[in-house]
Amino acid sequence: MFDIERRLAFSYPSRELAVVGWCCFDDLTPVDELYATHAGSRVPCFTGVRRPDIARSLDAAALMQSGFLCRLPVSGSSKVTLVAPRAGVDCVIGEFAVAWQKAERFPEDQRDAYSMWLRRHEAALHWAAADVEARLGSLASTPVVSVLLPTYNTNLYHLHRCIESVATQRYPHWELCITDDGSTDSRVARYLKDRASADPRIRLSFAAECRGISAASNISLAGSVGEFVVLLDHDDELHPAALLEVARCLNDHPDSDLIYSDEDKIDQLGVRSGPAFKPEFDDDLLCGFDYIGHLVAIRTALAREVGGFRSDTDGAQDWDLLLRVTSASDRRRIQHIPKPLYHWRKHEESTAYSLDAKPYAVRAWDIVLRRHLASARFCSVREGLFRGSMRVARAVPPETRVSVVYRAGDGLHQRGALARSRVPRRTTFFEVAGADIRCADHSNGTCPSGVHSGGPCPPEAESDVMVVINGALESVNHHFIEELAAQAGRDDCGVVGGTVLRPDRTVLTAGLVSLHDGTALNPFDGMAVQDLGYMGLAKVVRSVASIGPQVFAFRTSRLRDLGAAGCVDEHSLGDLCAALIRHAHAGGLKVLHTPYAIATMHGSAESFAPPRGDAPPGSLMLNRNLEGFPTVASVLKRGIN
């Protein structure tokens, strides 16, 4: 017995029809293994979909999960036979005809923002499929790419879709290194052997027992022959042009050690959603969470050199490897392909669906980051501001002298608000009135030696780090001064800003972005303080194109580098912030945003519209794909549906 209830047509990655329905044997026994056979092919179906309506209507409790779905390649019309093995014999459940022109609707024609972006922009990102064979000859190098695929009791429908996505790659020079980690489901081994026997590019290994995803991946890594390895999870899919884009990138950047791409998610049917259009490489962001994700291609020799995968990080093994690879490489040898080349499957057992699906992954994050920071001084590891993120908590070294400067005209409340923050031991507070700086910690207002009162800034300042408040404060969080000072004291930091809130707890600024036409955006303006922003970017320490001038911190020695532009003057603190940003960009220093320093401004703070300024380095510009959406700022606040 069966019924087909929905047919959905897909033109990507090829002409396919998704079929949704329910089935059972004639004696109302449930089917737990189902295949759709047509045109000489045998395609696994996904079974076990909850169908309480069928169980009720047939008065058969065993059919509570009698639903199924599958995707079939379709050319014109054809007949499909549903077959279910029973007692070693294939039983025909039924037959039905599929015709491309009778599909109910086309998922890519839906009106959601991402589907419309795909229709308008994706084709232009890649060589046309019909041109690939001819254009491959234009590549100076066509390296073999090894795809590493660990499997364990994988649902055959997912496994089939995964392997098909490699087998149908437009780039022919690949090998698929599959290691099954001791699956107890005999159907998995049988399916893998059938696929390997049909394609010599599939290299198959079987572990004697289940030892975990890292151990299985290491077997594939050891046996791979490609110049680069690409990591693939057993229920995900590659874009048809994924490996071709890796090869094209290697031709443009032959010394690359690591290549990563944008990605999106797919549901059980294969409808795409939730794209991650990622920033260029940012080591601070990578310490916050594995934003690199997939697709990842790593130079094979380097992956082996850093020790491959480590079993005690299972659940976060890719992040662990990426942190070691990026630490062993050079920033210039890390490339980002701004194209969605990887489709992350959303289902109940996937972290794409929920992090609760793999609780052991949460425990592994702490292990990974602590090990990564083992040699770093004045750093500790804590949970981040959203599930899936971590925090590198930096402390101010005890010998560091900190100056906190605020405008005298903003009132006595400034000093009281700042005092509620934890203050590093060697901290001095200053008021700036016009061009005069008065020490707020001395009753006579006399500045300590080395701090100038009026005129140009002295060659040697009293402090090592300066925290500037350029606005009337209502309150700050407990770690405000310490966090800004600790980040600003880093060798690689030019200037750092915190999250600035209005009195109603909405965001005024939390890091600025730059479009490719030079337009600066304040993307999180008006967002509720608890919201994460696109990809969680508002809640992690990261490099940004610019920061707002309300709150910022820097090494005091930067003032000497700025010369006359570095004077601390009540009316030009915003200009000082802009000068520090320009200096950081010119000198290869970071402009950082930290969400762990939060200042709430007093009174009615209007929206901050950043002026059009000097363009930052290209690596700090917004992912160009995000500019393909009509309302970029809205996307950065609320995400993409």
Side-chain angles (χ1 to χ4, degrees):
M1 300 174 62
F2 80 102
D3 187 30
I4 305 300
E5 297 166 325
R6 295 172 64 201
R7 294 180 173 87
L8 292 90
F10 290 80
S11 58
Y12 169 88
S14 58
R15 286 167 63 107
E16 291 184 307
L17 197 68
V19 177
V20 180
W22 65 271
C23 69
C24 64
F25 291 109
D26 290 341
D27 60 0
L28 301 186
T29 301
V31 170
D32 63 357
E33 184 178 359
L34 184 69
Y35 298 88
T37 62
H38 74 110
S41 63
R42 182 181 174 97
V43 178
C45 301
F46 184 82
T47 59
V49 179
R50 283 184 56 81
R51 291 301 302 266
D53 56 324
I54 300 301
R56 285 194 299 268
S57 64
L58 295 178
D59 193 23
L63 300 184
M64 187 65 71
Q65 295 178 299
S66 57
F68 78 93
L69 60 90
C70 64
R71 276 183 61 150
L72 308 163
V74 176
S75 177
S77 61
S78 59
K79 181 184 293 185
V80 176
T81 303
L82 292 176
V83 175
R86 192 177 195 184
V89 178
D90 281 348
C91 297
V92 175
I93 300 296
E95 295 182 343
F96 61 95
V98 293
W100 176 257
Q101 64 271 21
K102 291 183 179 179
E104 293 174 358
R105 63 189 177 92
F106 293 76
E108 59 265 40
D109 286 341
Q110 295 172 9
R111 294 286 179 180
D112 64 271
Y114 185 45
S115 291
M116 294 183 71
W117 183 91
L118 288 169
R119 292 173 60 199
R120 292 171 178 168
H121 301 285
E122 184 173 42
L125 298 178
H126 309 288
W127 289 347
D131 299 337
V132 168
E133 185 174 355
R135 299 186 71 171
L136 277 173
S138 67
L139 298 179
S141 172
T142 54
V144 173
V145 178
S146 299
V147 180
L148 308 187
L149 175 60
T151 63
Y152 178 74
N153 286 345
T154 313
N155 181 284
L156 292 188
Y157 168 77
H158 294 151
L159 187 57
H160 174 77
R161 298 294 307 173
C162 178
I163 293 177
E164 277 294 296
S165 76
V166 179
T168 55
Q169 284 293 301
R170 295 170 188 167
Y171 183 73
H173 307 294
W174 55 263
E175 63 169 2
L176 177 58
C177 303
I178 305 174
T179 297
D180 184 74
D181 191 33
S183 289
T184 57
D185 186 345
S186 60
R187 295 173 297 184
V188 173
R190 185 166 62 245
Y191 178 83
L192 291 175
K193 290 175 182 177
D194 288 344
R195 291 304 302 249
S197 65
D199 192 330
R201 292 175 296 180
I202 298 178
R203 301 162 63 92
L204 187 57
S205 301
F206 289 95
E209 59 182 358
C210 178
R211 295 173 52 207
I213 189 170
S214 291
S217 298
N218 279 333
I219 293 173
S220 291
L221 176 62
S224 61
V225 300
E227 184 178 344
F228 272 72
V229 292
V230 165
L231 312 184
L232 177 61
D233 289 345
H234 63 170
D235 46 6
D236 298 339
E237 299 180 26
L238 297 181
H239 186 284
L243 302 185
L244 177 59
E245 293 295 344
V246 170
R248 290 177 64 186
C249 183
L250 283 172
N251 274 262
D252 292 337
H253 307 280
D255 61 346
S256 298
D257 284 333
L258 171 68
I259 299 169
Y260 69 99
S261 79
D262 294 345
E263 64 185 272
D264 57 23
K265 296 181 176 67
I266 51 172
D267 63 12
Q268 296 285 45
L269 290 176
V271 177
R272 298 165 67 184
S273 64
F277 293 129
K278 305 166 188 175
E280 296 300 304
F281 179 68
D282 181 347
D283 54 351
D284 281 282
L285 184 58
L286 185 59
C287 285
F289 69 103
D290 182 11
Y291 83 94
I292 288 179
H294 297 288
L295 177 140
V296 169
I298 305 171
R299 187 173 294 278
T300 307
L302 182 57
R304 291 170 177 162
E305 178 184 320
V306 300
F309 300 89
R310 299 194 286 205
S311 291
D312 63 350
T313 65
D314 277 359
Q317 71 285 339
D318 291 358
W319 187 34
D320 176 57
L321 179 60
L322 287 171
L323 286 170
R324 283 180 284 130
V325 165
T326 54
S327 296
S329 184
D330 183 279
R331 169 65 185 85
R332 293 166 293 184
R333 298 168 73 94
I334 300 172
Q335 304 299 328
H336 170 217
I337 303 174
K339 305 176 185 183
L341 301 180
Y342 192 97
H343 312 313
W344 192 11
R345 181 82 63 188
K346 292 192 301 183
H347 61 87
E348 287 76 3
E349 297 179 0
S350 166
T351 50
Y353 182 83
S354 169
L355 288 172
D356 293 332
K358 295 180 179 179
Y360 60 88
V362 181
R363 295 190 294 271
W365 297 331
D366 188 73
I367 295 173
V368 167
L369 197 53
R370 286 184 187 278
R371 184 179 286 161
H372 178 64
L373 297 170
S375 61
R377 299 181 66 206
F378 306 111
C379 290
S380 60
V381 174
R382 302 176 189 173
E383 291 186 12
L385 295 175
F386 61 89
R387 190 77 182 277
S389 68
M390 298 295 289
R391 177 190 176 189
V392 179
R394 298 179 183 272
V396 178
E399 69 276 9
T400 300
R401 300 166 300 169
V402 179
S403 294
V404 180
V405 176
Y406 56 88
R407 302 184 307 192
D410 288 326
L412 297 175
H413 184 66
Q414 298 292 94
R415 185 68 172 85
L418 289 166
R420 289 191 286 272
S421 174
R422 187 161 64 186
V423 178
R425 184 170 61 87
R426 302 185 66 186
T427 299
T428 307
F429 291 85
F430 296 89
E431 293 180 342
V432 55
D436 292 327
I437 302 176
R438 298 190 296 266
C439 181
D441 289 339
H442 289 68
S443 58
N444 62 1
T446 304
C447 295
S449 61
V451 175
H452 188 68
S453 178
C457 296
E460 293 185 9
E462 174 70 14
S463 63
D464 301 301
V465 171
M466 185 176 290
V467 177
V468 176
I469 313 300
N470 183 27
L473 287 176
E474 181 175 286
S475 64
V476 297
N477 70 319
H478 185 58
H479 298 285
F480 179 77
I481 295 175
E482 186 176 51
E483 173 67 11
L484 287 174
Q487 297 288 356
R490 294 166 48 178
D491 292 340
D492 59 354
C493 178
V495 62
V496 57
T499 295
V500 182
L501 304 179
R502 298 180 177 85
D504 65 359
R505 304 292 288 173
T506 59
V507 172
L508 181 63
T509 65
L512 310 180
V513 300
S514 178
L515 306 185
H516 284 76
D517 66 0
T519 302
L521 291 181
N522 181 16
F524 305 120
D525 180 24
M527 188 176 72
V529 64
Q530 68 270 18
D531 291 346
L532 307 180
Y534 183 68
M535 287 181 60
L537 293 179
K539 297 295 186 181
V540 285
V541 176
R542 70 192 195 282
S543 290
V544 293
S546 185
I547 56 174
Q550 298 86 0
V551 169
F552 58 98
F554 55 94
R555 279 190 174 187
T556 315
S557 60
R558 310 287 183 215
L559 294 174
R560 295 195 299 272
D561 300 332
L562 294 175
C567 293
V568 180
D569 183 285
E570 179 181 13
H571 304 294
S572 60
L573 294 179
D575 294 336
L576 173 60
C577 182
L580 288 163
I581 292 168
R582 289 193 297 270
H583 175 262
H585 289 161
L589 297 171
K590 293 185 176 184
V591 178
L592 290 174
H593 167 262
T594 173
Y596 299 104
I598 304 172
T600 302
M601 308 310 288
H602 182 71
S604 58
E606 297 180 358
S607 294
F608 170 68
R612 190 184 185 95
D614 298 331
S619 62
L620 293 175
M621 289 186 178
L622 189 68
N623 187 311
R624 193 182 292 272
N625 292 323
L626 288 166
E627 297 184 33
F629 292 86
T631 54
V632 179
S634 178
V635 164
L636 291 174
K637 278 195 281 282
R638 299 179 180 86
I640 302 169
N641 58 5

